[in-house]
Amino acid sequence: MLRQVLHRGLRTCFSRLGHFIASHPVFFASAPVLISILLGASFSRYQVEESVEHLLAPQHSLAKIERNLVNSLFPVNRSKHRLYSDLQTPGRYGRVIVTSFQKANMLDQHHTDLILKLHAAVTRIQVPRPGFNYTFAHICILNNDKTCIVDDIVHVLEELKNARATNRTNFAITYPITHLKDGRAVYNGHQLGGVTVHSKDRVKSAEAVQLTYYLQSINSLNDMVAERWESSFCDTVRLFQKSNSKVKMYPYTSSSLREDFQKTSRVSERYLVTSLILVVTMAILCCSMQDCVRSKPWLGLLGLVTISLATLTAAGIINLTGGKYNSTFLGVPFIMLGHGLYGTFEMLSSWRKTREDQHVKERTAAVYADSMLSFSLTTAMYLVTFGIGASPFTNIEAARIFCCNSCIAIFFNYLYVLSFYGSSLVFTGYIENNYQHSIFCRKVPKPEALQEKPAWYRFLLTARFSEDTADGEEANTYESHLLVCFLKRYYCDWITNTYVKPFVVLFYLIYISFALMGYLQVSEGSDLSNIVATATQTIEYTTAQQKYFSNYSPVIGFYIYESIEYWNTSVQEDVLEYTKGFVRISWFESYLNYLRKLNVSTGLPKKNFTDMLRNSFLKAPQFSHFQEDIIFSKKYNDEVDVVASRMFLVAKTMETNREELYDLLETLRRLSVTSKVKFIVFNPSFVYMDRYASSLGAPLHNSCISALFLLFFSAFLVADSLINVWLTLTVVSVEFGVIGFMTLWKVQLDCISVLCLIYGINYTIDNCAPLLSTFVLGKDFTRTKWVKNALEVHGVAILQSYLCYLVGLIPLAAVPSNLTCTLFRCLFLIALVTFFHCFAILPVILTFLPPSKKKRKEKKNPENREEIECVEMVDIDSTRVVDQITTV
C-alpha cells in the first residue's frame, strides 16, 4: 500500500512540475542555453593530458614504490651501461628497428654499412635554439670518459666491419650474449631479431637490428630540446628510408605513445561530424508522420540540441575545475546519446497518448506524470554506477575521469530534458493545438480549401481535424505514424504468436551458448597499442618488435636492497638459486660466481671479502663496470660493507603473451616475500601490469554491486517489487551476452571495454524498465494482452532511440583507431543485445512466466445493472449526427 501511495505521490509531483514548466516555457528554454554558453566558452582553451602513465597505469601499485626504491639506489646516471629496454625509467629516447622487405641478413656487409650510416646520420641531428645548435653529443647520456653511450650493438657492428676489412675470420657474434674485444660480455637479445644460429649460439643471420639512443632530461630546457630531437629523429629516419627503399625502418620515441593516443581525437573529427548528421536526419524522420500538424520533426532536432547543451555544459565544468582532455572522452557523447534520446522519445510517446481537446498545460502535466518517474529512476542509476566509478575506489585514472565526466553530463542532461526539451514540447504543443504546420508554423487550411491545389501541395498539408474525428477514433489519431502502425498492426501479433515463441526460445538458448563460449575466453588487455590510432608509429613499431624481438621478455632488474653476507657461500648460492631459469645478463652474477669459488677455496672472512670486492673493481679492467651494480658504504671503523646490489635477468617468455609476463611478475613477487634475501624485481612495463586485472575490474565490480543495491532498495519504492526482479535478470543476461560476444569479436577487457560495460547496465535499464513496469502493473487481462500493450506504449520510443543510436555508431566503425574500434564494438553489442531482449526475449518469456494475469469475472447481479442513455445530437451547421452514450 505504501509503495502505491508513494508512486502516486511522485506522479503528482511530476505532473505539477510539468504544469509549472508549461506555464513558463520561455524561461526554461532560455536558461539552459545561457548556462551552456557561459560554461562551454571555457572549453575553447582546454588542456590535454600529456602523461599516458598517469591515465592508464594503476594509481596505487607496488611497482611504483619499487621504482622509487630502484631510483634511489641506482639512479640513471649510475646505470650508464645497464640501460636495457629502459630498465628503470622511460625517460627520453629514440629507437629504430631496421629490417628488410625480403628477409635479408642485416649482418651482411651491405646492411651493416647501411646501419652504421644511419647511426652516423642520427648522431649529426641538430636542434636549433637561439644562439646554439644542440646535437646528440650535447644531450646524450655520458660515459665515465665523457663520451655518449650508444647501444652495444653499434660496437658489435663496428667490430664486424673492421674484421671484414682486415679479413679476420675468427670474429663471431653469439646470441643472446656476445663478447667485445675489450672482454665485456654484452646482451644483444633485444638488439638482434629474427636470429638464426649455428652451433654454440653463433649467429648465422639476423632479420632485424634495433638501435636505441638515450637522452638526458634533467631540466625543463633539456627536456624541451630532447623532445624536439625526438621529432627530428623520426624525420631523419623517414628521409633515410626514402633513399634506401629496400629496407624498412620503424622509428619510435618516448613521445610516440602519447602522440598516437591523442591522435585518435584528430582522426575522429570528420567521422563524428558524419555521425551527428546521420543522427539528426534519423531523429527528424523518427519524429515525422504524414499528418503535418501532429508531426514533430523539430522535436527530433531539439532532442539532440538538448544532449549537445548538456555535453557542452559538462565539458565547461570539467575544464574550469582543472580537468584535462584525453581521447577516452570520445565515448561520453555516445553515452549521452543513449540516455537522452530515449528520454526525449518517451516524452514524445507520452504526448501522443494525451487527449487533443485538453489544454497544452494539462497535456504537458500528463506527459511529465507518465514518463518522468521512470526517466528519473534510470538517471539515478546512471549517477550511482558512474559515481562509484568516479570515486577513489577506481585505481585507473582514465576510468575515474571518464566516469566523473559522465556523471556531470548525465546530471545536466536530465535537467535539460526536464526544462529545455519540456519547454520545446510546450511550444510544439501550441503549434499543434492551433493547427499550424509542424515545420513552417503556418495555419493549415481545411481539406475543402485544398481541393483546387496541386497534389504535392495537398500532400504537404495533409492533416486531420478534430471535427472530422469521432470521439471513439481520437486515440487512433497518431496511428498514421509508421512505427506505431508497424508495432500495433503487425509486430505485436507476430511476436506473441504461438508458433513463433519456440523459435525465439531456441534462439535465446543459442545466444546463451555462444555467450558462454566467449565468456570462458575473456582476457585482460594491458597492451597499450590497443588505445592508439592505427597506422601510427606505435602500432608499426610494436608489431615489428613482437615479430622480431619476442624471444625474450623485457630485461628485469633483480635488486638486493639489504646488507647480506656476501662472503657466506650459502647466501651466494641462494642468490643464484633465486635467478635460476633466467638468462643472467649482468657481469655481477659472473663475478659473484667467481668470488663464490674463490671464497670456498680460501675461506675469506667478511672484511677481507669486501675489501677484495671493492679493490678488484679499481684494479681489474675486466671488472671495471661492476661498480655500477654494487653500492658500498664505509663504517666508522673503516670497514666497508655492501648495502645493495643488482643483476639483470631475461626470461624465455613471449612478450606478446601478457598473461604469461604477468604470471612471471607475480611469481617473482611471491618469491621475494618468502626468500631469505630481501630483493625486488622491476621493469617499467610492470607499472602498467601491476594489479592491472584487479584495478581494471574494480569499477565494473563496484558499479554492478551499486546497481544491484539500488535495484534492491528501489524495490520498496516502485509499485511492484517484481519489476526489479525482472530488471535484474535482464541486466545479467545482457551483460553476460555482451562480455561473451565482445570476446568472440576479439575485444579484450581493457579500460574502454570496462567503461562500456558499466554503460551497458544503465542502457539496459533505460530501455527495459518502462516495458517491464507496464507489464507487471497491468491487471484484468491476459499476459499476452499486456505484452502487446507494453510494446505498443513503449516500443516506439525504444525503436526510435535504437535507430538513431545505431546510425550514430556506424561512422565510428570507420575511424582508423584501435580505441574507437573497441568503443564501436562494445557499444554496438550493447545496443543490439538490449534491442534483442526488448523486442524478442522479454515479450516471449513474459507470456508464460510470472506475474500471472487473472481476468476478473464479475458476477451478473440484477441490482448492479447499468442503465444506458442514448442522446442524439444534431449539428445544425453541418447536419452531422453525433451519438453520445452516457452511463447512468
Side-chain angles (χ1 to χ4, degrees):
M1 181 63 182
L2 179 61
R3 288 182 296 191
Q4 281 77 7
V5 171
L6 182 60
H7 190 264
R8 286 195 296 269
L10 291 174
R11 287 176 61 90
T12 302
C13 292
F14 282 114
S15 176
R16 293 178 179 177
L17 176 63
H19 193 279
F20 181 74
I21 291 175
S23 301
H24 308 84
V26 176
F27 171 78
F28 286 100
S30 57
V33 176
L34 294 176
I35 294 173
S36 300
I37 293 175
L38 292 176
L39 293 177
S42 66
F43 195 67
S44 60
R45 297 183 179 180
Y46 68 92
Q47 294 180 320
V48 178
E49 179 59 59
E50 299 288 342
S51 175
V52 178
E53 178 184 320
H54 174 71
L55 288 175
L56 300 175
Q59 294 297 303
H60 308 288
S61 67
L62 184 59
K64 291 186 176 180
I65 300 175
E66 292 170 341
R67 179 174 62 185
N68 293 334
L69 179 59
V70 169
N71 289 335
S72 64
L73 293 176
F74 298 94
V76 175
N77 60 0
R78 188 182 167 84
S79 308
K80 298 172 182 177
H81 296 279
R82 300 291 183 259
L83 295 173
Y84 305 110
S85 301
D86 313 325
L87 187 57
Q88 292 180 210
T89 177
R92 290 286 184 183
Y93 60 87
R95 184 172 292 160
V96 58
I97 294 176
V98 184
T99 184
S100 173
F101 289 105
Q102 301 176 351
K103 296 184 178 181
N105 181 15
M106 304 307 295
L107 297 179
D108 61 22
Q109 184 174 357
H110 170 70
H111 290 96
T112 300
D113 294 340
L114 192 67
I115 294 172
L116 291 177
K117 288 181 181 178
L118 174 63
H119 170 69
V122 169
T123 56
R124 290 194 300 267
I125 294 176
Q126 293 185 351
V127 177
R129 290 291 299 165
F132 193 79
N133 290 333
Y134 289 87
T135 64
F136 177 70
H138 297 106
I139 58 176
C140 68
I141 296 180
L142 299 178
N143 204 335
N144 293 329
D145 56 1
K146 303 303 179 180
T147 59
C148 291
I149 295 178
V150 295
D151 264 357
D152 290 321
I153 189 63
V154 175
H155 301 305
V156 172
L157 294 178
E158 288 176 347
E159 292 188 10
L160 180 61
K161 181 180 180 179
N162 294 333
R164 286 174 178 153
T166 56
N167 294 324
R168 285 193 293 116
T169 59
N170 59 347
F171 181 80
I173 303 175
T174 55
Y175 182 82
I177 295 178
T178 190
H179 293 80
L180 300 177
K181 63 181 181 180
D182 60 359
R184 287 195 299 121
V186 296
Y187 171 73
N188 56 22
H190 288 160
Q191 282 77 45
L192 295 179
V195 176
T196 303
V197 296
H198 287 298
S199 59
K200 297 182 180 180
D201 296 331
R202 296 182 61 181
V203 176
K204 179 181 179 181
S205 64
E207 296 180 6
V209 173
Q210 180 171 234
L211 304 177
T212 306
Y213 301 88
Y214 296 97
L215 309 174
Q216 296 182 20
S217 56
I218 55 178
N219 53 51
S220 59
L221 175 62
N222 192 264
D223 186 72
M224 180 184 64
V225 173
E227 184 178 8
R228 294 188 179 182
W229 188 93
E230 290 178 348
S231 178
S232 300
F233 169 78
C234 294
D235 296 337
T236 301
V237 172
R238 294 191 190 99
L239 290 175
F240 200 85
Q241 165 81 69
K242 291 180 180 179
S243 59
N244 299 273
S245 57
K246 293 185 179 180
V247 295
K248 179 62 178 175
M249 300 180 184
Y250 303 94
Y252 187 78
T253 67
S254 63
S255 305
S256 296
L257 179 62
R258 171 180 56 81
E259 293 173 354
D260 295 342
F261 175 61
Q262 298 298 345
K263 187 178 179 181
T264 298
S265 301
R266 297 191 296 272
V267 299
S268 302
E269 291 176 356
R270 60 189 182 96
Y271 296 97
L272 293 178
V273 173
T274 304
S275 177
L276 179 61
I277 295 174
L278 291 176
V279 173
V280 168
T281 304
M282 182 58 67
I284 292 175
L285 291 176
C286 286
C287 295
S288 301
M289 52 191 296
Q290 187 177 1
D291 193 319
C292 68
V293 173
R294 295 167 181 86
S295 181
K296 299 288 186 295
W298 286 114
L299 283 183
L301 176 62
L302 291 173
L304 295 175
V305 172
T306 304
I307 298 171
S308 302
L309 291 176
T311 305
L312 185 61
T313 303
I317 292 176
I318 291 292
N319 191 45
L320 289 175
T321 54
K324 295 183 179 181
Y325 174 83
N326 65 82
S327 293
T328 60
F329 285 3
L330 290 174
V332 175
F334 293 95
I335 290 179
M336 298 285 293
L337 195 65
H339 174 257
L341 279 178
Y342 182 74
T344 56
F345 284 131
E346 187 68 23
M347 291 180 68
L348 184 57
S349 178
S350 299
W351 178 269
R352 296 192 183 103
K353 292 184 292 182
T354 59
R355 293 176 52 187
E356 292 187 355
D357 58 350
Q358 291 179 314
H359 194 272
V360 172
K361 295 181 181 179
E362 296 176 355
R363 296 183 73 178
T364 306
V367 167
Y368 275 70
D370 184 57
S371 61
M372 279 298 109
L373 181 58
S374 62
F375 186 61
S376 300
L377 291 177
T378 54
T379 300
M381 185 66 71
Y382 272 95
L383 295 178
V384 169
T385 52
F386 281 109
I388 293 295
S391 67
F393 296 106
T394 301
N395 200 16
I396 297 180
E397 187 67 12
R400 192 191 67 80
I401 296 175
F402 183 92
C403 291
C404 180
N405 197 3
S406 299
C407 275
I408 298 174
I410 291 295
F411 177 72
F412 278 96
N413 188 54
Y414 173 73
L415 294 181
Y416 288 179
V417 168
L418 285 176
S419 56
F420 181 82
Y421 190 79
S423 60
S424 302
L425 190 64
V426 172
F427 290 130
T428 56
Y430 281 115
I431 293 175
E432 178 182 337
N433 279 14
N434 295 331
Y435 285 93
Q436 293 176 304
H437 199 280
S438 59
I439 299 177
F440 306 111
C441 300
R442 58 170 294 182
K443 190 75 174 180
V444 177
K446 291 185 178 181
E448 295 83 6
L450 298 175
Q451 295 299 327
E452 298 179 357
K453 299 293 182 179
W456 65 269
Y457 190 83
R458 293 197 303 270
F459 176 79
L460 290 178
L461 296 179
T462 301
R464 196 173 187 178
F465 288 81
S466 59
E467 55 265 25
D468 298 331
T469 305
D471 290 342
E473 298 178 355
E474 185 178 343
N476 300 326
T477 306
Y478 289 95
E479 282 194 9
S480 60
H481 192 284
L482 180 62
L483 297 180
V484 176
C485 179
F486 168 73
L487 287 176
K488 192 169 185 177
R489 297 184 183 180
Y490 303 103
Y491 186 78
C492 292
D493 292 331
W494 178 80
I495 196 64
T496 55
N497 189 287
T498 305
Y499 299 102
V500 175
K501 293 179 184 179
F503 292 99
V504 175
V505 173
L506 178 62
F507 192 71
Y508 183 67
L509 294 177
I510 296 174
Y511 160 82
I512 291 295
S513 301
F514 278 93
L516 179 61
M517 182 173 64
Y519 188 84
L520 297 176
Q521 304 176 31
V522 173
S523 61
E524 291 84 12
S526 59
D527 190 355
L528 297 179
S529 62
N530 292 334
I531 61 163
V532 300
T534 57
T536 56
Q537 291 181 359
T538 301
I539 296 297
E540 294 177 351
Y541 172 81
T542 302
T543 303
Q545 189 182 52
Q546 292 176 351
K547 179 180 179 181
Y548 296 108
F549 301 96
S550 59
N551 291 334
Y552 295 96
S553 71
V555 179
I556 301 171
F558 183 90
Y559 300 88
I560 301 174
Y561 59 93
E562 67 169 345
S563 179
I564 61 175
E565 299 176 347
Y566 288 90
W567 64 92
N568 192 322
T569 56
S570 62
V571 173
Q572 297 170 2
E573 292 175 355
D574 287 339
V575 173
L576 296 179
E577 181 65 26
Y578 296 146
T579 59
K580 184 179 180 181
F582 293 91
V583 178
R584 293 182 283 264
I585 60 176
S586 172
W587 278 43
F588 176 65
E589 180 272 330
S590 303
Y591 188 60
L592 189 63
N593 193 30
Y594 163 75
L595 293 177
R596 182 176 62 87
K597 296 178 181 179
L598 181 63
N599 194 24
V600 170
S601 60
T602 61
L604 290 173
K606 173 185 176 182
K607 186 176 186 305
N608 293 341
F609 179 87
T610 53
D611 287 342
M612 182 191 66
L613 185 64
R614 186 182 61 169
N615 292 333
S616 62
F617 292 161
L618 301 176
K619 297 178 180 178
Q622 66 272 27
F623 297 143
S624 60
H625 299 301
F626 292 167
Q627 54 188 326
E628 298 178 7
D629 297 330
I630 296 180
I631 299 177
F632 295 95
S633 67
K634 193 172 183 179
K635 298 184 178 180
Y636 65 93
N637 57 356
D638 293 334
E639 184 177 339
V640 178
D641 196 7
V642 178
V643 296
S645 59
R646 67 178 178 181
M647 67 178 68
F648 303 125
L649 314 173
V650 177
K652 189 71 174 178
T653 305
M654 297 293 289
E655 283 192 48
T656 54
N657 193 337
R658 291 280 172 171
E659 291 184 1
E660 188 177 355
L661 194 58
Y662 179 77
D663 292 339
L664 173 63
L665 172 60
E666 291 299 308
T667 301
L668 291 173
R669 285 271 176 77
R670 288 192 296 268
L671 183 62
S672 66
V673 174
T674 59
S675 66
K676 299 177 183 178
V677 179
K678 294 181 180 180
F679 70 90
I680 59 174
V681 290
F682 181 75
N683 181 276
S685 61
F686 292 170
V687 174
Y688 293 95
M689 297 171 54
D690 191 16
R691 311 303 301 169
Y692 184 82
S694 60
S695 300
L696 189 65
L700 180 61
H701 180 263
N702 296 334
S703 297
C704 289
I705 293 177
S706 61
L708 292 175
F709 175 78
L710 188 60
L711 287 172
F712 174 78
F713 180 73
S714 61
F716 301 98
L717 301 178
V718 297
D720 196 322
S721 59
L722 198 57
I723 299 174
N724 288 13
V725 174
W726 273 110
L727 204 55
T728 303
L729 295 176
T730 305
V731 169
V732 171
S733 178
V734 170
E735 289 289 285
F736 179 75
V738 170
I739 294 175
F741 282 100
M742 79 177 193
T743 304
L744 295 178
W745 207 354
K746 298 181 180 180
V747 176
Q748 294 180 320
L749 200 63
D750 57 8
C751 178
I752 303 300
S753 58
V754 165
L755 293 173
C756 291
L757 290 174
I758 296 175
Y759 167 66
I761 300 173
N762 302 282
Y763 185 83
T764 304
I765 295 174
D766 236 351
N767 289 269
C768 297
L771 200 69
L772 291 168
S773 178
T774 301
F775 173 80
V776 171
L777 297 178
K779 303 293 182 184
D780 297 339
F781 295 103
T782 61
R783 293 191 184 96
T784 302
K785 175 63 178 177
W786 277 108
V787 165
K788 292 181 179 179
N789 187 50
L791 284 176
E792 291 173 3
V793 172
H794 302 288
V796 175
I798 296 173
L799 192 56
Q800 287 173 326
S801 63
Y802 175 76
L803 291 175
C804 294
Y805 195 71
L806 184 63
V807 299
L809 283 179
I810 290 176
L812 200 64
V815 179
S817 171
N818 290 335
L819 187 150
T820 53
C821 179
T822 301
L823 192 65
F824 164 76
R825 292 181 179 183
C826 292
L827 294 180
F828 177 79
L829 286 174
I830 289 169
L832 181 64
V833 173
T834 303
F835 180 80
F836 170 62
H837 278 74
C838 288
F839 281 90
I841 300 303
L842 288 177
V844 170
I845 292 180
L846 290 176
T847 57
F848 53 81
L849 289 179
S852 62
K853 305 289 182 184
K854 296 182 179 179
K855 186 177 181 180
R856 299 176 183 175
K857 295 182 179 181
E858 296 183 358
K859 296 180 180 180
K860 294 183 179 180
N861 191 345
E863 299 179 358
N864 296 331
R865 289 180 301 174
E866 293 183 346
E867 297 181 3
I868 307 300
E869 176 185 0
C870 297
V871 180
E872 185 176 277
M873 302 177 63
V874 179
D875 190 341
I876 299 177
D877 296 334
S878 59
T879 66
R880 183 167 58 90
V881 179
V882 180
D883 292 333
Q884 179 177 352
I885 302 176
T886 307
T887 301
V888 181

